[in-house]
Amino acid sequence: MKKRLLSISLAATLVLSTQVLAAPVNQPLRLLSTTPLPAVTGGDFDHFAADLTRNRLYVSAEDFGSIEVFDLPLGGHLASEKNIATEPHKILLGDNGKELFIADAGSASLRIVDTRTFQIKKMIPMKAQPDSGIADDRTGIFYVGNGGVKSHEDHAEISLISMADGSLIGNIGVPAGQIKAMAIDKAKNRLYVNFRDRNEIGIIDLGSRKLTGIWKVPGPSRNSAMAFDPATNRLFIGSRNPGKLFVLDTDNGAVVQALDIVETSDEIIFDPHHGRLYVAGSNGLDVVRQVDRNHYSVEQHVDTFGGKTAILIPSLERLYVVHTKGPSAQEAGLQVFSVQ
């Protein structure tokens, strides 16, 4: 009787073990479709903007010199607008989607475009290489980084643009050769800015509009991507070659974790609903799970064919990634992922 019970117990253990081993690994992202872009012959894409009112998705193709337009949610290609910017980088929608703000490095200007006619309504001169930026929805100010080494100067500038009328409000000078991604901390009324050439983060007080502090980021890789979680006061920095994710405490700037991630990260998206980060780089996209406020781990890696530009649209439960024609892909394309 004992032998029989032991046999049953062993059998049950083996079945349970088999079930555990056979259980599928959690895969938050699932590829739904890919839209080919055969006309885009190469060069990086930089930033997305989504208009949920008109079901439109825009992305800047910097070397190709176009704004590519897609429908939502399926991601079908609608148009390639090549006459509105020569080297577009950061783009942002204004006036309820009727206007598109484009940081155009090719003309050293910020261009405001009518999205119904794709005519340029206004051009605001800037210093060389306007690139990254972020808008503050509380004040309607668009912060745009420009200048630095491309202007042959020892400092860069953050230009303040009014989203209401497209006027230049002012500039904040910072000791950096190149400005990359930014994040706004509403509780502390701060703007965090990546100084990529210095492995530093600048802290701008949005009340006084002055640089009030600098945090060091571990080198030697360059800090480019950035995201912020206001619930935990954690700032996420993506550094390149080797690919690292640095988690910083915004109370003191201390690095609480360093995690290996994809190379040449250009986009970090924080997903508060699922407690995740999506980090897009040159060799794919990492889904990073939030274990607790000081610990994060990679739970999925997906092939994006070199695509480093991504956008999460929570209401559609979709993540979009665009890749160019190059060593990783025979042609450019837009990948559409469902978010589980």
Side-chain angles (χ1 to χ4, degrees):
M1 183 67 175
K2 288 183 179 179
K3 288 183 179 180
R4 185 184 175 201
L5 288 173
L6 181 59
S7 298
I8 293 172
S9 177
L10 286 171
T13 301
L14 287 171
V15 169
L16 180 60
S17 300
T18 303
Q19 290 174 340
V20 171
L21 290 172
V25 177
N26 183 33
Q27 299 287 293
L29 298 183
R30 182 170 62 89
L31 181 63
L32 296 177
S33 64
T34 300
T35 301
L37 299 169
V40 180
T41 53
D44 282 344
F45 291 92
D46 207 1
H47 292 281
F48 277 108
D51 181 357
L52 295 179
T53 302
R54 294 170 178 79
N55 296 318
R56 292 291 181 265
L57 182 65
Y58 305 91
V59 66
S60 54
E62 48 185 275
D63 291 343
F64 191 62
S66 70
I67 300 296
E68 300 299 317
V69 187
F70 305 88
D71 71 351
L72 291 174
L74 299 180
H77 190 233
L78 298 176
S80 180
E81 300 293 341
K82 285 186 64 68
N83 298 316
I84 53 178
T86 55
E87 190 183 333
H89 286 268
K90 179 66 179 181
I91 59 176
L92 184 71
L93 287 163
D95 193 15
N96 296 314
K98 297 176 184 176
E99 295 179 339
L100 187 67
F101 289 67
I102 305 172
D104 184 19
S107 63
S109 68
L110 182 77
R111 299 187 171 197
I112 303 175
V113 173
D114 187 323
T115 57
R116 293 161 294 187
T117 63
F118 285 97
Q119 297 296 310
I120 299 171
K121 297 174 62 176
K122 189 171 185 178
M123 292 178 57
I124 304 169
M126 292 193 166
K127 293 191 174 180
Q129 201 68 24
D131 188 347
S132 296
I134 193 170
D136 189 339
D137 57 13
R138 302 169 303 172
T139 60
I141 295 176
F142 183 20
Y143 298 91
V144 185
N146 58 106
V149 292
K150 294 290 185 177
S151 294
H152 307 288
E153 296 178 338
D154 61 358
H155 70 280
E157 290 186 350
I158 301 170
S159 297
L160 285 66
I161 308 297
S162 168
M163 296 290 293
D165 59 13
S167 62
L168 176 64
I169 299 171
N171 295 289
I172 303 171
V174 294
Q178 187 177 30
I179 293 174
K180 293 303 288 184
M182 309 177 192
I184 292 175
D185 184 340
K186 295 180 180 179
K188 294 182 174 66
N189 203 32
R190 289 175 175 172
L191 177 69
Y192 302 116
V193 185
N194 266 329
F195 297 167
R196 185 164 79 172
D197 61 307
R198 297 167 57 101
N199 288 118
E200 293 177 343
I201 299 165
I203 307 163
I204 308 291
D205 179 85
L206 293 178
S208 64
R209 296 176 181 170
K210 292 182 179 179
L211 180 72
T212 58
I214 292 177
W215 293 331
K216 294 293 294 184
V217 178
S221 55
R222 301 179 298 168
N223 48 304
S224 297
M226 178 184 287
F228 176 60
D229 176 9
T232 61
N233 288 318
R234 294 298 179 258
L235 187 67
F236 308 102
I237 305 296
S239 288
R240 303 178 163 193
N241 304 322
K244 289 284 186 181
L245 175 69
F246 295 107
V247 183
L248 276 67
D249 184 340
T250 58
D251 288 334
N252 51 30
V255 177
V256 298
Q257 187 183 7
L259 183 67
D260 291 337
I261 55 165
V262 290
E263 299 292 313
T264 322
S265 61
D266 209 36
E267 196 97 59
I268 299 179
I269 302 166
F270 176 62
D271 179 356
H273 180 68
H274 296 101
R276 298 187 193 123
L277 298 165
Y278 307 102
V279 188
S282 60
N283 61 330
L285 182 144
D286 283 339
V287 180
V288 179
R289 181 173 64 92
Q290 184 179 47
V291 180
D292 57 46
R293 62 188 289 126
N294 291 331
H295 298 92
Y296 299 78
S297 65
V298 176
E299 65 174 335
Q300 185 185 8
H301 176 85
V302 297
D303 187 359
T304 58
F305 304 103
K308 309 190 302 292
T309 300
I311 186 172
L312 172 69
I313 304 182
S315 62
L316 300 179
E317 297 183 327
R318 295 288 185 271
L319 180 80
Y320 300 83
V321 185
V322 65
H323 65 268
T324 192
K325 177 181 179 179
S328 301
Q330 293 183 349
E331 67 178 359
L334 176 77
Q335 292 176 296
V336 183
F337 293 90
S338 66
V339 180
Q340 307 297 315

